[in-house]
Amino acid sequence: MYLRHFSLREAPFSITPDPAFFFPHDGAQAALNTLLVALRSGEGFLKIVGEVGCGKTVLCRQLLKTLQSECVTAYIPNPDMGPDDLLLALALELNVELTAPHSRYQMLGALRDCLLLHAEAGRRVVVCIDEAQAIPLRTVESLRLLSNLETEKQKLLQLVLLGQPELDERLARPEIRQLLQRITFSEYLGPMAARSVPAYLQHRLATAALDELTDVKLFDAAAARALSRYSGGVPRLVNVLAHKSLMLAYGENERRVKVRHVRMAAAETPGMQVPPFWWQRWRARWARQDADKALACDTSRDTAWQDTQPLHDFEAGQPEGRR
């Protein structure tokens, strides 16, 4: 591929959520700070909602990496399971020994005993549930039961829910309002600002660089701006377009990515929608204003014409009884 051509050790724009490539742009850093402060303060239930492709999973893994030395952590990537299966998955993540048959009462008791041992040793337990919008409603009850595991002084288990905007819709349902009331901190993770995209590209290239001689400014300023426009600042789309652009530049034996490479990459990406330039938006707005003015003038002209018609013309069209 193009790794040797650009002096890279590994693919810099893989869509695999690797915390080594975590980039602390404004939104991601704010979400991470909120989680760290809340968890270190002992809060029990936290929520991160983000758009598709905006880096929720890599944020989650960065959080777990940061807390690795101070907490017992567990990660559930796919919570689309029944109530008992969720408890079983959590027990396996925490290395809780269970004896068959696995009844809900037995699993909750074993989990509580495990969490009490960690609490007595001064260890906090943090569980991150990714793709939380996929949690079935019947499984939400298990989350509520888990949130009840506490002592007189502290929560035995701290839960972090990460999901797409549909998670808010699910939590707003009346039948699970008890769970919503237990969420103490919430943060939104959106696309990167346009000004962050060039730094994001350089950060990924520097992380994947073969050595200090690797050029991490492979994207021209105009190419970086074009990539920001096409991707809308969504990290996953930035990675897809950047990877394709590097392949196109390599195919032409170029050492830098140009605007044409980004345009060709966007044209080859299904579902890619190009936002209009600012001057195109202004032109469309002016056209709408001109159309509204023309319509208003036509309406005014018609009204004036009707007002000038003789009364007998109007009466001529009325029924006999109304004259």
PDB file of all heavy atoms in Angstrom, residues 276-299:
ATOM      1  N   PRO A 276     -22.903  23.188   0.337  1.00  0.00           N
ATOM      2  CA  PRO A 276     -22.618  24.336  -0.528  1.00  0.00           C
ATOM      3  C   PRO A 276     -21.612  25.286   0.113  1.00  0.00           C
ATOM      4  O   PRO A 276     -21.480  25.345   1.337  1.00  0.00           O
ATOM      5  CB  PRO A 276     -23.989  25.006  -0.681  1.00  0.00           C
ATOM      6  CG  PRO A 276     -24.739  24.610   0.550  1.00  0.00           C
ATOM      7  CD  PRO A 276     -24.268  23.234   0.887  1.00  0.00           C
ATOM      8  N   PHE A 277     -20.887  26.024  -0.720  1.00  0.00           N
ATOM      9  CA  PHE A 277     -20.019  27.074  -0.216  1.00  0.00           C
ATOM     10  C   PHE A 277     -20.874  28.192   0.373  1.00  0.00           C
ATOM     11  O   PHE A 277     -22.078  28.302   0.114  1.00  0.00           O
ATOM     12  CB  PHE A 277     -19.148  27.631  -1.344  1.00  0.00           C
ATOM     13  CG  PHE A 277     -18.058  26.686  -1.778  1.00  0.00           C
ATOM     14  CD1 PHE A 277     -18.199  25.942  -2.942  1.00  0.00           C
ATOM     15  CD2 PHE A 277     -16.906  26.561  -1.031  1.00  0.00           C
ATOM     16  CE1 PHE A 277     -17.195  25.091  -3.351  1.00  0.00           C
ATOM     17  CE2 PHE A 277     -15.892  25.701  -1.447  1.00  0.00           C
ATOM     18  CZ  PHE A 277     -16.037  24.963  -2.599  1.00  0.00           C
ATOM     19  N   TRP A 278     -20.210  29.094   1.145  1.00  0.00           N
ATOM     20  CA  TRP A 278     -20.952  30.178   1.780  1.00  0.00           C
ATOM     21  C   TRP A 278     -21.612  31.076   0.745  1.00  0.00           C
ATOM     22  O   TRP A 278     -22.738  31.536   0.931  1.00  0.00           O
ATOM     23  CB  TRP A 278     -20.017  30.996   2.685  1.00  0.00           C
ATOM     24  CG  TRP A 278     -18.923  31.731   1.937  1.00  0.00           C
ATOM     25  CD1 TRP A 278     -17.674  31.292   1.658  1.00  0.00           C
ATOM     26  CD2 TRP A 278     -19.033  33.038   1.356  1.00  0.00           C
ATOM     27  NE1 TRP A 278     -16.974  32.222   0.944  1.00  0.00           N
ATOM     28  CE2 TRP A 278     -17.783  33.316   0.749  1.00  0.00           C
ATOM     29  CE3 TRP A 278     -20.048  33.996   1.288  1.00  0.00           C
ATOM     30  CZ2 TRP A 278     -17.535  34.514   0.088  1.00  0.00           C
ATOM     31  CZ3 TRP A 278     -19.800  35.182   0.639  1.00  0.00           C
ATOM     32  CH2 TRP A 278     -18.551  35.446   0.037  1.00  0.00           C
ATOM     33  N   TRP A 279     -20.894  31.313  -0.371  1.00  0.00           N
ATOM     34  CA  TRP A 279     -21.468  32.195  -1.377  1.00  0.00           C
ATOM     35  C   TRP A 279     -22.643  31.541  -2.081  1.00  0.00           C
ATOM     36  O   TRP A 279     -23.563  32.227  -2.536  1.00  0.00           O
ATOM     37  CB  TRP A 279     -20.404  32.627  -2.386  1.00  0.00           C
ATOM     38  CG  TRP A 279     -19.671  31.498  -3.072  1.00  0.00           C
ATOM     39  CD1 TRP A 279     -18.500  30.936  -2.688  1.00  0.00           C
ATOM     40  CD2 TRP A 279     -20.086  30.813  -4.256  1.00  0.00           C
ATOM     41  NE1 TRP A 279     -18.137  29.929  -3.556  1.00  0.00           N
ATOM     42  CE2 TRP A 279     -19.092  29.839  -4.530  1.00  0.00           C
ATOM     43  CE3 TRP A 279     -21.170  30.926  -5.115  1.00  0.00           C
ATOM     44  CZ2 TRP A 279     -19.170  28.984  -5.624  1.00  0.00           C
ATOM     45  CZ3 TRP A 279     -21.247  30.083  -6.199  1.00  0.00           C
ATOM     46  CH2 TRP A 279     -20.252  29.124  -6.452  1.00  0.00           C
ATOM     47  N   GLN A 280     -22.647  30.195  -2.153  1.00  0.00           N
ATOM     48  CA  GLN A 280     -23.794  29.502  -2.726  1.00  0.00           C
ATOM     49  C   GLN A 280     -25.005  29.595  -1.797  1.00  0.00           C
ATOM     50  O   GLN A 280     -26.142  29.725  -2.260  1.00  0.00           O
ATOM     51  CB  GLN A 280     -23.440  28.034  -3.003  1.00  0.00           C
ATOM     52  CG  GLN A 280     -22.424  27.845  -4.121  1.00  0.00           C
ATOM     53  CD  GLN A 280     -21.986  26.409  -4.270  1.00  0.00           C
ATOM     54  OE1 GLN A 280     -21.804  25.694  -3.277  1.00  0.00           O
ATOM     55  NE2 GLN A 280     -21.810  25.973  -5.508  1.00  0.00           N
ATOM     56  N   ARG A 281     -24.752  29.534  -0.492  1.00  0.00           N
ATOM     57  CA  ARG A 281     -25.851  29.680   0.461  1.00  0.00           C
ATOM     58  C   ARG A 281     -26.448  31.086   0.389  1.00  0.00           C
ATOM     59  O   ARG A 281     -27.666  31.262   0.461  1.00  0.00           O
ATOM     60  CB  ARG A 281     -25.361  29.375   1.880  1.00  0.00           C
ATOM     61  CG  ARG A 281     -24.964  27.922   2.104  1.00  0.00           C
ATOM     62  CD  ARG A 281     -24.852  27.600   3.583  1.00  0.00           C
ATOM     63  NE  ARG A 281     -23.812  28.391   4.238  1.00  0.00           N
ATOM     64  CZ  ARG A 281     -22.549  28.000   4.344  1.00  0.00           C
ATOM     65  NH1 ARG A 281     -22.156  26.842   3.837  1.00  0.00           N
ATOM     66  NH2 ARG A 281     -21.671  28.759   4.969  1.00  0.00           N
ATOM     67  N   TRP A 282     -25.569  32.090   0.275  1.00  0.00           N
ATOM     68  CA  TRP A 282     -26.061  33.463   0.168  1.00  0.00           C
ATOM     69  C   TRP A 282     -26.844  33.657  -1.128  1.00  0.00           C
ATOM     70  O   TRP A 282     -27.875  34.335  -1.142  1.00  0.00           O
ATOM     71  CB  TRP A 282     -24.885  34.438   0.217  1.00  0.00           C
ATOM     72  CG  TRP A 282     -24.484  34.800   1.608  1.00  0.00           C
ATOM     73  CD1 TRP A 282     -23.404  34.369   2.303  1.00  0.00           C
ATOM     74  CD2 TRP A 282     -25.197  35.670   2.496  1.00  0.00           C
ATOM     75  NE1 TRP A 282     -23.370  34.892   3.566  1.00  0.00           N
ATOM     76  CE2 TRP A 282     -24.468  35.702   3.717  1.00  0.00           C
ATOM     77  CE3 TRP A 282     -26.372  36.410   2.385  1.00  0.00           C
ATOM     78  CZ2 TRP A 282     -24.879  36.449   4.796  1.00  0.00           C
ATOM     79  CZ3 TRP A 282     -26.782  37.157   3.481  1.00  0.00           C
ATOM     80  CH2 TRP A 282     -26.047  37.178   4.666  1.00  0.00           C
ATOM     81  N   ARG A 283     -26.358  33.084  -2.227  1.00  0.00           N
ATOM     82  CA  ARG A 283     -27.064  33.215  -3.506  1.00  0.00           C
ATOM     83  C   ARG A 283     -28.449  32.594  -3.409  1.00  0.00           C
ATOM     84  O   ARG A 283     -29.433  33.161  -3.904  1.00  0.00           O
ATOM     85  CB  ARG A 283     -26.258  32.558  -4.624  1.00  0.00           C
ATOM     86  CG  ARG A 283     -26.957  32.588  -5.966  1.00  0.00           C
ATOM     87  CD  ARG A 283     -26.148  31.857  -7.024  1.00  0.00           C
ATOM     88  NE  ARG A 283     -24.925  32.582  -7.349  1.00  0.00           N
ATOM     89  CZ  ARG A 283     -24.012  32.137  -8.215  1.00  0.00           C
ATOM     90  NH1 ARG A 283     -24.201  30.961  -8.814  1.00  0.00           N
ATOM     91  NH2 ARG A 283     -22.919  32.830  -8.466  1.00  0.00           N
ATOM     92  N   ALA A 284     -28.545  31.405  -2.769  1.00  0.00           N
ATOM     93  CA  ALA A 284     -29.849  30.756  -2.601  1.00  0.00           C
ATOM     94  C   ALA A 284     -30.766  31.603  -1.726  1.00  0.00           C
ATOM     95  O   ALA A 284     -31.977  31.710  -1.989  1.00  0.00           O
ATOM     96  CB  ALA A 284     -29.664  29.364  -1.996  1.00  0.00           C
ATOM     97  N   ARG A 285     -30.198  32.233  -0.687  1.00  0.00           N
ATOM     98  CA  ARG A 285     -31.012  33.077   0.178  1.00  0.00           C
ATOM     99  C   ARG A 285     -31.524  34.304  -0.575  1.00  0.00           C
ATOM    100  O   ARG A 285     -32.689  34.689  -0.436  1.00  0.00           O
ATOM    101  CB  ARG A 285     -30.196  33.516   1.394  1.00  0.00           C
ATOM    102  CG  ARG A 285     -30.964  34.377   2.387  1.00  0.00           C
ATOM    103  CD  ARG A 285     -30.109  34.753   3.572  1.00  0.00           C
ATOM    104  NE  ARG A 285     -29.668  33.562   4.296  1.00  0.00           N
ATOM    105  CZ  ARG A 285     -28.866  33.632   5.370  1.00  0.00           C
ATOM    106  NH1 ARG A 285     -28.414  34.793   5.798  1.00  0.00           N
ATOM    107  NH2 ARG A 285     -28.511  32.521   5.975  1.00  0.00           N
ATOM    108  N   TRP A 286     -30.653  34.928  -1.373  1.00  0.00           N
ATOM    109  CA  TRP A 286     -31.081  36.084  -2.169  1.00  0.00           C
ATOM    110  C   TRP A 286     -32.175  35.689  -3.157  1.00  0.00           C
ATOM    111  O   TRP A 286     -33.123  36.447  -3.375  1.00  0.00           O
ATOM    112  CB  TRP A 286     -29.890  36.672  -2.931  1.00  0.00           C
ATOM    113  CG  TRP A 286     -28.897  37.348  -2.042  1.00  0.00           C
ATOM    114  CD1 TRP A 286     -29.113  37.898  -0.821  1.00  0.00           C
ATOM    115  CD2 TRP A 286     -27.502  37.521  -2.309  1.00  0.00           C
ATOM    116  NE1 TRP A 286     -27.954  38.408  -0.292  1.00  0.00           N
ATOM    117  CE2 TRP A 286     -26.933  38.194  -1.193  1.00  0.00           C
ATOM    118  CE3 TRP A 286     -26.662  37.184  -3.370  1.00  0.00           C
ATOM    119  CZ2 TRP A 286     -25.596  38.527  -1.119  1.00  0.00           C
ATOM    120  CZ3 TRP A 286     -25.318  37.529  -3.293  1.00  0.00           C
ATOM    121  CH2 TRP A 286     -24.802  38.191  -2.183  1.00  0.00           C
ATOM    122  N   ALA A 287     -32.020  34.511  -3.779  1.00  0.00           N
ATOM    123  CA  ALA A 287     -33.034  34.053  -4.734  1.00  0.00           C
ATOM    124  C   ALA A 287     -34.379  33.869  -4.041  1.00  0.00           C
ATOM    125  O   ALA A 287     -35.432  34.228  -4.581  1.00  0.00           O
ATOM    126  CB  ALA A 287     -32.584  32.755  -5.396  1.00  0.00           C
ATOM    127  N   ARG A 288     -34.365  33.320  -2.819  1.00  0.00           N
ATOM    128  CA  ARG A 288     -35.622  33.138  -2.080  1.00  0.00           C
ATOM    129  C   ARG A 288     -36.246  34.487  -1.717  1.00  0.00           C
ATOM    130  O   ARG A 288     -37.457  34.666  -1.798  1.00  0.00           O
ATOM    131  CB  ARG A 288     -35.375  32.311  -0.815  1.00  0.00           C
ATOM    132  CG  ARG A 288     -35.100  30.840  -1.076  1.00  0.00           C
ATOM    133  CD  ARG A 288     -35.245  30.025   0.207  1.00  0.00           C
ATOM    134  NE  ARG A 288     -34.300  30.481   1.228  1.00  0.00           N
ATOM    135  CZ  ARG A 288     -33.081  29.987   1.378  1.00  0.00           C
ATOM    136  NH1 ARG A 288     -32.635  29.036   0.557  1.00  0.00           N
ATOM    137  NH2 ARG A 288     -32.294  30.421   2.347  1.00  0.00           N
ATOM    138  N   GLN A 289     -35.391  35.443  -1.313  1.00  0.00           N
ATOM    139  CA  GLN A 289     -35.904  36.761  -0.958  1.00  0.00           C
ATOM    140  C   GLN A 289     -36.515  37.455  -2.176  1.00  0.00           C
ATOM    141  O   GLN A 289     -37.572  38.087  -2.077  1.00  0.00           O
ATOM    142  CB  GLN A 289     -34.778  37.612  -0.367  1.00  0.00           C
ATOM    143  CG  GLN A 289     -34.319  37.159   1.010  1.00  0.00           C
ATOM    144  CD  GLN A 289     -33.137  37.955   1.521  1.00  0.00           C
ATOM    145  OE1 GLN A 289     -32.535  38.742   0.797  1.00  0.00           O
ATOM    146  NE2 GLN A 289     -32.801  37.762   2.794  1.00  0.00           N
ATOM    147  N   ASP A 290     -35.836  37.347  -3.338  1.00  0.00           N
ATOM    148  CA  ASP A 290     -36.378  37.945  -4.553  1.00  0.00           C
ATOM    149  C   ASP A 290     -37.716  37.304  -4.930  1.00  0.00           C
ATOM    150  O   ASP A 290     -38.658  37.992  -5.357  1.00  0.00           O
ATOM    151  CB  ASP A 290     -35.382  37.791  -5.708  1.00  0.00           C
ATOM    152  CG  ASP A 290     -34.146  38.658  -5.515  1.00  0.00           C
ATOM    153  OD1 ASP A 290     -34.209  39.602  -4.692  1.00  0.00           O
ATOM    154  OD2 ASP A 290     -33.115  38.380  -6.165  1.00  0.00           O
ATOM    155  N   ALA A 291     -37.803  35.979  -4.773  1.00  0.00           N
ATOM    156  CA  ALA A 291     -39.059  35.284  -5.090  1.00  0.00           C
ATOM    157  C   ALA A 291     -40.174  35.719  -4.148  1.00  0.00           C
ATOM    158  O   ALA A 291     -41.324  35.920  -4.570  1.00  0.00           O
ATOM    159  CB  ALA A 291     -38.852  33.774  -5.015  1.00  0.00           C
ATOM    160  N   ASP A 292     -39.843  35.899  -2.862  1.00  0.00           N
ATOM    161  CA  ASP A 292     -40.853  36.345  -1.891  1.00  0.00           C
ATOM    162  C   ASP A 292     -41.328  37.763  -2.225  1.00  0.00           C
ATOM    163  O   ASP A 292     -42.523  38.075  -2.125  1.00  0.00           O
ATOM    164  CB  ASP A 292     -40.279  36.301  -0.480  1.00  0.00           C
ATOM    165  CG  ASP A 292     -40.041  34.879   0.002  1.00  0.00           C
ATOM    166  OD1 ASP A 292     -40.625  33.961  -0.594  1.00  0.00           O
ATOM    167  OD2 ASP A 292     -39.260  34.693   0.963  1.00  0.00           O
ATOM    168  N   LYS A 293     -40.375  38.628  -2.615  1.00  0.00           N
ATOM    169  CA  LYS A 293     -40.754  40.002  -2.968  1.00  0.00           C
ATOM    170  C   LYS A 293     -41.661  40.016  -4.207  1.00  0.00           C
ATOM    171  O   LYS A 293     -42.644  40.750  -4.256  1.00  0.00           O
ATOM    172  CB  LYS A 293     -39.501  40.838  -3.220  1.00  0.00           C
ATOM    173  CG  LYS A 293     -38.697  41.144  -1.962  1.00  0.00           C
ATOM    174  CD  LYS A 293     -37.457  41.959  -2.303  1.00  0.00           C
ATOM    175  CE  LYS A 293     -36.644  42.252  -1.049  1.00  0.00           C
ATOM    176  NZ  LYS A 293     -35.388  43.006  -1.371  1.00  0.00           N
ATOM    177  N   ALA A 294     -41.309  39.203  -5.205  1.00  0.00           N
ATOM    178  CA  ALA A 294     -42.123  39.143  -6.418  1.00  0.00           C
ATOM    179  C   ALA A 294     -43.525  38.639  -6.112  1.00  0.00           C
ATOM    180  O   ALA A 294     -44.522  39.152  -6.635  1.00  0.00           O
ATOM    181  CB  ALA A 294     -41.449  38.246  -7.449  1.00  0.00           C
ATOM    182  N   LEU A 295     -43.608  37.630  -5.231  1.00  0.00           N
ATOM    183  CA  LEU A 295     -44.919  37.100  -4.858  1.00  0.00           C
ATOM    184  C   LEU A 295     -45.737  38.148  -4.121  1.00  0.00           C
ATOM    185  O   LEU A 295     -46.944  38.299  -4.340  1.00  0.00           O
ATOM    186  CB  LEU A 295     -44.745  35.855  -3.991  1.00  0.00           C
ATOM    187  CG  LEU A 295     -46.035  35.185  -3.488  1.00  0.00           C
ATOM    188  CD1 LEU A 295     -46.871  34.720  -4.676  1.00  0.00           C
ATOM    189  CD2 LEU A 295     -45.702  34.003  -2.579  1.00  0.00           C
ATOM    190  N   ALA A 296     -45.048  38.897  -3.225  1.00  0.00           N
ATOM    191  CA  ALA A 296     -45.745  39.939  -2.475  1.00  0.00           C
ATOM    192  C   ALA A 296     -46.256  41.025  -3.411  1.00  0.00           C
ATOM    193  O   ALA A 296     -47.374  41.528  -3.252  1.00  0.00           O
ATOM    194  CB  ALA A 296     -44.816  40.532  -1.425  1.00  0.00           C
ATOM    195  N   CYS A 297     -45.457  41.403  -4.426  1.00  0.00           N
ATOM    196  CA  CYS A 297     -45.876  42.413  -5.398  1.00  0.00           C
ATOM    197  C   CYS A 297     -47.080  41.939  -6.207  1.00  0.00           C
ATOM    198  O   CYS A 297     -48.036  42.681  -6.440  1.00  0.00           O
ATOM    199  CB  CYS A 297     -44.723  42.764  -6.331  1.00  0.00           C
ATOM    200  SG  CYS A 297     -43.398  43.709  -5.531  1.00  0.00           S
ATOM    201  N   ASP A 298     -47.057  40.665  -6.633  1.00  0.00           N
ATOM    202  CA  ASP A 298     -48.170  40.106  -7.397  1.00  0.00           C
ATOM    203  C   ASP A 298     -49.450  40.102  -6.572  1.00  0.00           C
ATOM    204  O   ASP A 298     -50.535  40.439  -7.054  1.00  0.00           O
ATOM    205  CB  ASP A 298     -47.847  38.691  -7.876  1.00  0.00           C
ATOM    206  CG  ASP A 298     -46.746  38.682  -8.931  1.00  0.00           C
ATOM    207  OD1 ASP A 298     -46.493  39.754  -9.518  1.00  0.00           O
ATOM    208  OD2 ASP A 298     -46.138  37.612  -9.150  1.00  0.00           O
ATOM    209  N   THR A 299     -49.321  39.717  -5.297  1.00  0.00           N
ATOM    210  CA  THR A 299     -50.488  39.681  -4.415  1.00  0.00           C
ATOM    211  C   THR A 299     -51.052  41.074  -4.211  1.00  0.00           C
ATOM    212  O   THR A 299     -52.266  41.300  -4.239  1.00  0.00           O
ATOM    213  CB  THR A 299     -50.106  39.059  -3.059  1.00  0.00           C
ATOM    214  OG1 THR A 299     -49.563  37.757  -3.279  1.00  0.00           O
ATOM    215  CG2 THR A 299     -51.315  38.964  -2.150  1.00  0.00           C
TER     216      THR A 299
END
